[in-house]
Amino acid sequence: MSALTRIKSAATEDGYAFVAPKRAEWQMGTPLGAARSSPPGMDQVYRPDSRTAEREPSPSAALSLDVEGVSRRYGGLTAVDDVSFTVAAGEIVALVGHSGSGKSTLLRVIAGLDPLDTGRIAIGGRTVATPEGSVPPEKRGVGMMFQDYALFPHLTVLRNVTFGLRGLSGGEARAVALKALERVGLAERAEAYPHMLSGGEQQRVALARALAPRPGVLLMDEPFSNLDRRTRLVVREDTFAVLRESGTTAILVTHDQDDAMRMAERILMMQGGRVVQSGSAEALCRQPKTLQVARFFAEWNELPAVGLKGKAATAAGDFPAPGLRDGQTAVVCIRPSGIHFVPAAKGATGGRIVSRHFLGETEMLHVVVQGLAHPLRVVAPPGAGPATGSTIAFAADPADVLVFPAD
Amino acid sequence: MSTGALASTEPRLARQRCGGACIWIAGAAVTALLVLVPILSLATLAAGGSGDAWQHLVANVLPVATLNTALLLLGVGVLTIAIGAGAAWLVTAYQFPGRRVLDWALLLPLAVPTYIVAYAYLDLLHPIGPVQTLIRDILGIASPRDLRLPDIRSLPGAVLLLGFVLYPYVYLSTRALFLMQASGMIDAARTLGAGQGRVFFHVALPLARPAIVVGASLALMETLNDVGASEFLGVRTLTLSIYSTWINQTNLAGAAQLALVMLCLVVVLIAVERAARRGQRFGTTAQRTAAPAPRRLRGLAAAGALAATLVPVLIGFVFPALHLVNQAWIRLEFAGFSPRLVGEAWNTVSVSAIATALVVVAGVVVAYAARVRDDRLGRGLLRAASLGYALPGTVVALGLLAPLAGLDNLVDGAMRQSFGISTGLLLSGTVAALAYAYAVRFLAISAGGVDAGLAKVPRRLDYSARTLGETVSGAFRRVHLPLIRPALGAAAILAFVDCMKELPATLLLRPLNFETLATHLYGEAARGTYEDGAIAALLIVLVGLLPVVLLARISRPAVSMAAP
């Protein structure tokens, strides 16, 4: 991981401060994590309210972001529907959801590429968009990265990175850009053209280009989804390290829960243009508020159920469901790792193991249960458990069972 | 967030409501308006005309002119479709000796303007010209009076000549379609047992119908635009009637009324073309497979295919071009390259260059505005600004006469009142008026070219540039402009050549004693004198070869795909 070592060595050099007029400042040389050593609070947030503040260096370029009741409609379709959230300066937030959930549109609205129909957006406490008017994207101080990187094909890597460094002399811009390229480990490809780079390298150039002007907020639209799995893991770690080191406020849009959980401190799940749940990765995985959130973050056995005396009755047993009315249909979700084999006894449900697949660290078993359309999937330690074809009894750990009203 | 901060930022927000896009939209709106000026002024003129002039026109001019125009359009339409679609099918579906060369050579007649082909054939087919002399020699007839051949100076003659130089429009669009998409369905038809005739008439031709209509409507727009050929060949078309109503009778209102009649024809043509293009878009989304493998023809069939594709090239390009070369050579040997011709060539190049610059800049403005505001407004302005391609040059020129004169009078009056200086004619009868007319006529070339070039630039490049701090205009300068440079160059060449060839608008709008190569040729042909005309014609044809080379190059990848 050359990028990481480079970042570390760069971090040990002492602070070389760059003077970028109009843009806020951050020290490129601050050690890893230093930007977050104290919890970011509103008092630390850089507010270019007064005109002089714009020229004063600040300990961090990171700005807070306020999204208040923002909606965006296309014709009859409401792509973003009354969304509100706040991102603290230096925080990394993931916006997740399936395609069409409105997350990319929301990103474009924040960047100023799309107007909004209701609500307000503020960056660093300064209103940048209302339905009455908006600051154009080039004056917002936001950086943006795209799925296909959108590198300018007619410019070299270096000139791609210097593109956003306006107000600097040629030499200064070049120096800043080279530093930025060094941080992502691509200084030696400075004179190459984008088409000569691999996908992972292009992604890193895009990152360097977006970060070089020190945006107050960095917006990333599916930045890893064009990479193959192996490259993706490396690039994701590198990107995370660079973001952490620069202390940039970042919003990552992704449809991949893995990206979201690795990168973000907080995740916002969007569905149908609305934020349906937000919180830590753990909260969204452990206590999803809706079936869609549950499905997005984990694999589940989904069993049709009916409410019966405060319980959800399924073919594989009854599960506590306090809110469920009698006769109301529901879906019971059981985590595959939450099913344990138990000695056959009263109360335990039985089934027959029809197949087992070795998955390396674990084993996936399929258990046919009478009355269920699909076999239950059970994740167990490899080699453990009864043989294929044997009849077994099982029980589910209550912590691994969720009940949702059917939709 | 304090309310104070919100209050202080709000006025600033309101000011930046449309960002940097306003300038582009405003520019596009002005451009579209300038293009629409001739149409609007024509309508005003026609409405203001006296009734009796109109009655005279309706009684004496309109019936003949309309009938002639209708017959000419019909004949040229049938002929261009037969030659264009037939040749396109032969070179894409079959392999025969000479096919590779003919594949691009069939485009050559595009280099010959209608008035030049008429000029050349008048000479070639003259009773004492080379063709008739040859026929008489073969038949052993001594006097021209003893052999009466059908006169080329007739409606059928005009149909024939226009058809043989305008078919490439149909050929180009139809061949592209045959190469791109028809092959899968044609293969399917073959495996279902359809013979060659059935494949062509029941599969290929219906599939190509939208492409054929697009090509034919462009050819018919050129036919409507023509003023030289119909005059030389003695066919009283609407265009010619407009021209003579104004030039010979100085009846502007009458000419405007005739022009409005012609505008109706143009509207029909545009509607047909638009509808066909929609159909074409539908067709291309349907299927896109590998190019068809041409069938090898042998013996008589190969000779027949060769003849069928060679004849249009010979008639539409080789014969007139050879004749011009020959005549030009004789003239050059006799008198050299006259200084007058040098001056005219300079006139042609300079006014064309000015118009090209206008066309390219305006094309960039309307096309980029449509990208920035990719909605009804932006797209509508682009379309309005591109209307000129369908307007015959005579109509544009006539529509510009009155507003330019009005503007001149206005400026003159104002200057006289405030400074006591008379500015006279600033625009009317100047090169500026001519360049304006050219720009109106050919803006569609650059607007379309730039629009197509911009369509290849991903939107995310715009977004990247904007979030990296570039304005709308800055993004154009630093990202789009470098990326669309080839499209811009091609558009400039095409527009320049079209300006150089332009005759009808030039005739009406040129300054006194200002001759271009085209008007020189027209003058000689009209007077029946034969001096430097052949050289001027040859120069125009040579320049006209540029876009043909460009077109042949653009379609080359498809061509090489077709040839295994």
Side-chain angles (χ1 to χ4, degrees):
Chain A
M1 250 198 288
S2 62
L4 255 185
T5 51
R6 248 167 238 286
I7 288 153
K8 279 175 180 146
S9 69
T12 55
E13 288 172 24
D14 261 309
Y16 29 78
F18 296 104
V19 184
K22 292 184 185 173
R23 297 264 172 166
E25 296 292 320
W26 50 267
Q27 303 287 315
M28 285 187 90
T30 45
L32 272 173
R36 337 190 39 74
S37 54
S38 53
M42 287 307 276
D43 54 328
Q44 279 188 312
V45 170
Y46 170 63
R47 287 165 179 256
D49 276 352
S50 64
R51 270 168 211 120
T52 51
E54 292 205 16
R55 264 166 267 123
E56 273 171 23
S58 149
S60 162
L63 299 177
S64 64
L65 171 74
D66 297 287
V67 174
E68 294 172 8
V70 166
S71 301
R72 167 71 176 141
R73 285 186 282 272
Y74 293 106
L77 177 82
T78 304
V80 176
D81 187 3
D82 192 22
V83 169
S84 298
F85 62 91
T86 299
V87 183
E91 196 183 8
I92 301 175
V93 165
L95 216 52
V96 301
H98 298 286
S99 53
S101 60
K103 53 195 193 315
S104 289
T105 305
L106 179 57
L107 211 60
R108 287 156 42 83
V109 171
I110 295 171
L113 298 166
D114 261 16
L116 44 72
D117 293 306
T118 68
R120 186 181 79 97
I121 293 170
I123 294 174
R126 176 184 144 218
T127 302
V128 293
T130 65
E132 284 73 47
S134 75
V135 175
E138 64 267 21
K139 300 228 171 76
R140 283 199 186 185
V142 294
M144 196 154 181
M145 273 177 76
F146 296 94
Q147 183 172 0
D148 58 3
Y149 320 128
L151 298 177
F152 302 123
H154 60 299
L155 301 178
T156 61
V157 164
L158 183 68
R159 296 200 41 212
N160 259 284
V161 180
T162 54
F163 190 96
L165 298 170
R166 299 162 62 73
L168 294 184
S169 75
E172 284 172 320
R174 194 184 147 83
V176 174
L178 277 174
K179 282 286 182 235
L181 282 171
E182 216 166 88
R183 288 152 58 82
V184 297
L186 280 174
E188 68 276 15
R189 305 302 311 268
E191 293 310 320
Y193 280 89
H195 67 89
M196 297 154 77
L197 304 180
S198 70
E201 287 172 327
Q202 289 187 25
Q203 198 274 354
R204 285 186 281 163
V205 173
L207 179 66
R209 183 178 74 173
L211 285 178
R214 279 160 242 181
V217 177
L218 178 66
L219 308 172
M220 296 187 280
D221 192 358
E222 306 268 7
F224 310 117
S225 61
N226 263 8
L227 301 171
D228 62 76
R229 217 177 66 85
R230 258 167 218 283
T231 320
R232 181 183 185 119
L233 295 180
V234 176
V235 169
R236 192 167 66 194
E237 294 304 321
D238 288 358
T239 304
F240 182 67
V242 170
L243 288 182
R244 276 305 174 94
E245 190 214 339
S246 62
T248 307
T249 312
I251 298 184
L252 167 75
V253 157
T254 177
H255 63 261
D256 183 288
Q257 80 279 11
D258 229 34
D259 285 349
M261 293 193 281
R262 294 286 176 91
M263 298 276 297
E265 296 137 76
R266 199 148 56 87
I267 298 175
L268 277 75
M269 169 90 189
M270 282 191 75
Q271 194 193 322
R274 293 175 156 271
V275 174
V276 287
Q277 191 173 358
S278 71
S280 67
E282 198 180 345
L284 268 74
C285 288
R286 295 261 159 228
Q287 293 108 34
K289 282 186 187 162
T290 70
L291 182 56
Q292 280 72 23
V293 178
R295 278 184 188 150
F296 191 87
F297 284 95
E299 294 270 311
W300 300 88
N301 290 299
E302 290 181 23
L303 282 56
V306 181
L308 187 71
K309 293 173 192 158
K311 290 195 167 193
T314 74
D318 298 347
F319 300 92
L324 207 61
R325 282 178 283 111
D326 278 8
Q328 192 184 353
T329 54
V331 179
V332 168
C333 296
I334 310 174
R335 221 179 279 277
S337 58
I339 297 177
H340 308 291
F341 299 125
V342 295
K346 61 175 170 59
T349 320
R352 195 166 55 86
I353 299 173
V354 289
S355 68
R356 41 201 317 162
H357 301 282
F358 178 68
L359 298 178
E361 319 240 311
T362 57
E363 203 170 15
M364 169 76 79
L365 291 82
H366 285 113
V367 178
V368 170
V369 178
Q370 199 168 13
L372 284 183
H374 303 288
L376 282 182
R377 283 165 300 166
V378 178
V379 172
T388 311
S390 52
T391 307
I392 46 91
F394 63 85
D397 189 335
D400 291 315
V401 177
L402 298 166
V403 182
F404 297 103
D407 39 24
Chain B
M1 180 79 232
S2 69
T3 49
L6 179 64
S8 71
T9 50
E10 256 168 10
R12 190 173 166 195
L13 293 182
R15 267 213 312 280
Q16 289 168 332
R17 197 166 184 167
C18 85
C22 282
I23 293 179
W24 291 89
I25 291 292
V30 170
T31 309
L33 198 68
L34 286 174
V35 169
L36 293 180
V37 158
I39 300 178
L40 299 176
S41 93
L42 268 187
T44 327
L45 270 180
S50 61
D52 34 301
W54 177 239
Q55 243 132 56
H56 162 80
L57 288 174
V58 168
N60 303 316
V61 179
L62 204 55
V64 181
T66 312
L67 183 69
N68 275 337
T69 305
L71 288 176
L72 187 66
L73 289 179
L74 185 73
V76 171
V78 169
L79 196 59
T80 51
I81 288 175
I83 302 174
W89 176 247
L90 284 175
V91 299
T92 49
Y94 300 105
Q95 174 67 269
F96 51 89
R99 188 194 68 126
R100 264 166 186 267
V101 175
L102 283 164
D103 189 68
W104 59 263
L106 276 161
L107 292 171
L108 286 172
L110 273 183
V112 187
T114 51
Y115 57 87
I116 288 186
V117 82
Y119 169 84
Y121 273 100
L122 268 184
D123 217 8
L124 275 171
L125 299 179
H126 196 271
I128 51 166
V131 174
Q132 295 213 23
T133 309
L134 185 73
I135 293 174
R136 279 198 303 275
D137 286 352
I138 292 169
L139 298 178
I141 301 167
S143 161
R145 251 171 253 151
D146 299 337
L147 177 78
R148 291 275 178 190
L149 287 175
D151 196 348
I152 192 74
R153 284 173 302 170
S154 62
L155 184 65
V159 166
L160 214 61
L161 290 187
L162 291 187
F164 272 99
V165 287
L166 295 178
Y167 78 83
Y169 287 104
V170 180
Y171 171 73
L172 204 59
S173 60
T174 315
R175 187 191 60 156
L177 185 114
F178 284 152
L179 283 176
M180 297 290 273
Q181 61 153 155
S183 65
M185 284 174 250
I186 287 165
D187 288 347
R190 276 188 191 162
T191 58
L192 290 169
Q196 294 179 43
R198 270 191 70 190
V199 167
F200 179 65
F201 284 105
H202 292 269
V203 182
L205 211 52
L207 273 174
R209 202 183 298 145
I212 291 173
V213 174
V214 166
S217 53
L218 291 176
L220 293 187
M221 284 170 195
E222 279 298 312
T223 309
L224 268 187
N225 181 46
D226 168 78
V227 72
S230 34
E231 175 162 358
F232 304 161
L233 300 174
V235 183
R236 289 206 58 88
T237 59
L238 268 175
T239 317
L240 197 56
S241 306
I242 296 172
Y243 179 66
S244 56
T245 305
W246 165 236
I247 291 288
N248 304 334
Q249 303 166 26
T250 50
N251 177 357
L252 190 56
Q257 281 160 338
L258 286 175
L260 274 185
V261 172
M262 192 146 80
L263 264 187
C264 298
L265 279 176
V266 169
V267 168
V268 171
L269 279 182
I270 295 180
V272 167
E273 191 216 354
R274 284 269 151 81
R277 277 196 201 276
R278 271 195 294 279
Q280 207 174 16
R281 210 176 312 145
F282 175 75
T284 29
T285 50
Q287 204 144 356
R288 212 177 154 169
T289 44
R295 275 170 82 128
R296 189 170 289 280
L297 295 180
R298 289 182 199 288
L300 221 62
L306 178 62
T309 46
L310 191 58
V311 165
V313 183
L314 291 179
I315 296 183
F317 181 77
V318 177
F319 291 156
L322 283 180
H323 173 70
L324 292 179
V325 168
N326 182 36
Q327 292 298 308
W329 183 253
I330 293 170
R331 178 70 186 171
L332 283 173
E333 270 199 326
F334 174 70
F337 205 87
S338 73
R340 196 180 143 210
L341 211 53
V342 174
E344 285 162 4
W346 169 248
N347 284 348
T348 312
V349 168
S350 52
V351 70
S352 300
I354 295 169
T356 302
L358 278 179
V359 159
V360 167
V361 170
V364 161
V365 168
V366 291
Y368 191 61
R371 182 183 182 85
V372 175
R373 278 270 326 235
D374 195 8
D375 57 8
R376 252 193 213 159
L377 176 66
R379 287 279 138 199
L381 289 176
L382 174 63
R383 214 173 292 165
S386 309
L387 266 183
Y389 78 102
L391 296 180
T394 335
V395 172
V396 171
L398 211 57
L400 284 180
L401 282 175
L404 291 181
L407 190 70
D408 283 343
N409 286 340
L410 204 74
V411 173
D412 186 56
M415 290 299 275
R416 254 195 269 195
Q417 244 178 7
S418 31
F419 303 105
I421 322 164
S422 168
T423 51
L425 298 183
L426 285 173
L427 288 171
S428 315
T430 65
V431 170
L434 209 49
Y436 181 9
Y438 288 175
V440 169
R441 274 278 284 144
F442 304 122
L443 182 53
I445 294 172
S446 76
V450 174
D451 188 44
L454 285 174
K456 289 192 195 131
V457 180
R459 289 257 164 206
R460 281 172 176 168
L461 292 190
D462 305 34
Y463 300 154
S464 293
R466 297 299 301 284
T467 54
L468 287 167
E470 263 308 347
T471 57
V472 172
S473 306
F476 176 77
R477 188 172 46 81
R478 294 178 68 192
V479 177
H480 299 92
L481 191 57
L483 290 176
I484 63 165
R485 206 165 279 162
L488 219 53
I493 291 179
L494 291 177
F496 181 77
V497 172
D498 267 340
C499 290
M500 285 196 63
K501 297 198 303 197
E502 215 288 335
L503 178 65
T506 318
L507 280 177
L508 286 174
L509 286 178
R510 68 195 156 132
L512 279 175
N513 300 322
F514 181 91
E515 295 274 359
T516 67
L517 292 174
T519 58
H520 174 112
L521 178 73
Y522 174 86
E524 278 197 15
R527 287 194 304 274
T529 53
Y530 290 87
E531 292 155 3
D532 287 336
I535 304 173
L538 188 63
L539 287 177
I540 294 173
V541 171
L542 286 178
V543 173
L545 282 174
L546 269 178
V548 175
V549 171
L550 211 66
L551 279 174
R553 262 189 185 211
I554 290 166
S555 56
R556 190 163 291 169
V559 173
S560 62
M561 247 195 326

